[in-house]
Amino acid sequence: MPTKASPKVLNYASHVDDNTLTQAAETARMPFVHPHIALMPDAHFGKGSAVGTVIPTTGAVIPAAVGVDIGCGMIAVQTRLRAEDIDGMDLGRLRTRIEDAIPLSPGNYNSGLNRFEFTRARIDSLDEQATDDGVDLSHSPKWREQLGSLGGGNHFIELCLDERDVVWLFLHSGSRGVGNKIAQKHIKVAQRLCRQWWIRLPNADLAYLPQGTPELTAYLRDLSWAQRFALENRAEMMDRFVAVFAEWFGDNVPGGVDAGSDSLEVDRINCHHNYTVRETHAGKDVWLTRKGAIDAHEGVRGVIPGSMGTRSYVVRGKGNPAGLCSAPHGAGRRYSRSEARRRFTADDLAARMTGIEYRHGDEWVDEIPDAYKDIDQVMADAADLVDIEHTLRQILNVKGT
């Protein structure tokens, strides 16, 4: 059950630090918040506003609350295969094929646009939207090459099994460098305007763009494009993942069993967890910013990842109005990256990843599961917000540095 952490903050997190609560209360005091802020079970301290915060606003949007990885989110594909169908197959070879098909790590883009037949249609559609809506992408001349690339940090690609031993493909990423450039551009505009108008803010990252201004109109136009890019970026990577997985599976099946990508996929879920959208809450139309939260309206399906080496969940929303029809986006960090590196080693990570195929090394120590909250507790705290449909456990993990 949620608790009232401050007059306009409803807290669903059973484990949350004082800095995060202070940050949420600070955001909730902005005069245009309606009716309250919902702090998700995975909430933790962030830049400007806490990660895991759902912020409904009337008449204004806070660009830094949306964040710099606009449209970051998850995509999951259920296949027709079961664990016994891939038992004994070389997961290391699959991992290298994935790493060859999908550029990893910040700054790594595609060297060309013609390797996969489905890529061009996505680029053309995004190009058309940018032209029709007047989205200026001159700051990101390489945005086309970024489509279908993973990035780094907590972004990942995984092969999973659910509670029935059904095989799932799973990944986490967002709008890459182009989304970051769009976000930084409008955050600076909001900060400049608030200084110009002598608006006193608790911190500069709560600078906002008022409704009715050309600056908000421009931000929402660019935001819509960046959210679309993030959605298509995940779909592009997933299509590549499905293709290389089907090829790998076919290579391992005697007798040339049909493993075409079209015949493998049974279900697909693609959802944002860093974005702003128009919704109605407590009788008013608001701009709802989900910073580290997913849509959990009644019946809406979503994906909540754990951390590297822990379970993830396919969920269905309950439409809880107190929770602003939202749910957590993952485990949420317990330790900062620098603190995790101070506490843990590559050997600690290897012990936690026993039985999971991954690329060994100390680059991912800050992503060790111990650096995150207990995903089982997060899901227990989210019981009023979502129902769990499937529980996924990974057997292969790919990360960028």
Side-chain angles (χ1 to χ4, degrees):
M1 292 293 293
T3 60
K4 200 166 187 180
S6 62
K8 293 184 78 172
V9 176
L10 200 60
N11 173 36
Y12 283 85
S14 58
H15 296 289
V16 61
D17 63 78
D18 290 341
N19 288 336
T20 302
L21 292 173
T22 298
Q23 195 172 39
E26 193 175 73
T27 304
R29 285 195 294 271
M30 298 300 286
F32 41 74
V33 169
H34 170 84
H36 61 263
I37 278 176
L39 208 55
M40 295 289 101
D42 57 337
H44 61 91
F45 190 82
K47 183 174 172 59
S49 58
V51 179
T53 309
V54 185
I55 310 167
T57 55
T58 58
V61 175
I62 306 170
V66 181
V68 296
D69 195 357
I70 295 170
C72 187
M74 307 296 306
I75 185 169
V77 161
Q78 178 186 340
T79 76
R80 63 174 174 82
L81 301 180
R82 300 180 60 84
E84 59 263 27
D85 295 318
I86 60 171
D87 185 43
M89 294 183 182
D90 187 351
L91 292 178
R93 181 166 293 183
L94 174 60
R95 178 174 60 79
T96 58
R97 290 191 183 188
I98 294 167
E99 292 167 354
D100 177 64
I102 299 173
L104 310 176
S105 304
N108 285 351
Y109 307 149
N110 296 281
S111 57
L113 305 177
N114 299 318
R115 179 173 176 180
F116 297 93
E117 62 180 15
F118 43 73
T119 305
R120 176 53 61 182
R122 287 196 173 96
I123 290 173
D124 289 348
S125 181
L126 285 163
D127 231 337
E128 182 179 2
Q129 181 177 338
T131 300
D132 290 349
D133 293 352
V135 177
D136 179 11
L137 297 172
S138 60
H139 49 66
S140 300
K142 291 283 190 179
W143 71 262
R144 295 170 186 83
E145 287 78 8
Q146 291 173 23
L147 186 77
S149 63
L150 183 71
N154 62 353
H155 294 167
F156 62 78
I157 304 166
E158 289 182 340
L159 183 69
C160 300
L161 303 174
D162 70 12
E163 72 286 349
R164 306 161 298 172
D165 272 350
V166 171
V167 177
W168 289 71
L169 315 184
F170 192 56
L171 66 83
H172 171 207
S173 192
S175 55
R176 305 295 286 110
V178 63
N180 187 298
K181 289 284 184 66
I182 287 172
Q184 297 286 6
K185 170 185 173 180
H186 291 284
I187 289 169
K188 289 175 182 176
V189 169
Q191 291 173 342
R192 175 178 57 79
L193 288 178
C194 285
R195 287 195 303 269
Q196 177 182 318
W197 295 330
W198 299 95
I199 295 172
R200 298 186 65 179
L201 299 167
N203 71 72
D205 284 316
L206 288 176
Y208 58 89
L209 298 171
Q211 202 155 331
T213 62
E215 289 83 2
L216 179 61
T217 300
Y219 175 59
L220 293 174
R221 175 196 64 213
D222 291 0
L223 181 70
S224 175
W225 187 91
Q227 289 175 179
R228 168 87 185 285
F229 180 94
L231 199 77
E232 295 291 354
N233 186 43
R234 287 192 296 276
E236 173 72 20
M237 285 187 285
M238 183 55 75
D239 285 349
R240 297 183 188 188
F241 190 5
V242 170
V244 299
F245 178 79
E247 183 183 67
W248 168 84
F249 180 75
D251 288 349
N252 282 276
V253 176
V257 174
D258 177 20
S261 56
D262 290 343
S263 67
L264 275 179
E265 185 172 335
V266 173
D267 192 13
R268 180 178 291 214
I269 306 159
N270 192 351
C271 66
H272 291 325
H273 56 225
N274 284 351
Y275 69 112
T276 291
V277 67
R278 197 71 167 160
E279 291 185 3
T280 301
H281 292 276
K284 288 189 178 181
D285 290 337
V286 300
W287 291 107
L288 192 76
T289 296
R290 293 185 172 99
K291 181 176 182 178
I294 64 171
D295 183 357
H297 278 84
E298 185 174 3
V300 172
R301 301 176 76 205
V303 187
I304 302 176
S307 55
M308 188 178 184
T310 62
R311 287 177 292 279
S312 298
Y313 297 88
V314 177
V315 299
R316 190 177 294 273
K318 289 186 172 182
N320 187 320
L324 302 173
C325 297
S326 302
H329 80 313
R333 292 198 73 91
R334 181 183 176 199
Y335 299 121
S336 68
R337 295 191 180 278
S338 58
E339 180 64 15
R341 288 193 166 274
R342 190 184 71 80
R343 287 174 175 262
F344 307 109
T345 67
D347 288 340
D348 294 327
L349 177 59
R352 295 292 266 116
M353 295 292 285
T354 299
I356 301 169
E357 169 64 35
Y358 80 107
R359 196 164 72 256
H360 288 250
D362 62 5
E363 297 97 325
W364 303 277
V365 168
D366 54 13
E367 284 293 301
I368 191 170
D370 308 76
Y372 285 82
K373 293 184 179 184
D374 179 355
I375 187 63
D376 293 330
Q377 183 60 57
V378 168
M379 296 308 297
D381 291 347
D384 289 343
L385 307 174
V386 290
D387 289 318
I388 296 171
E389 286 194 343
H390 298 293
T391 301
L392 310 182
R393 63 190 189 281
Q394 67 270 78
I395 56 175
L396 177 151
N397 173 278
V398 174
K399 292 187 70 68
T401 54

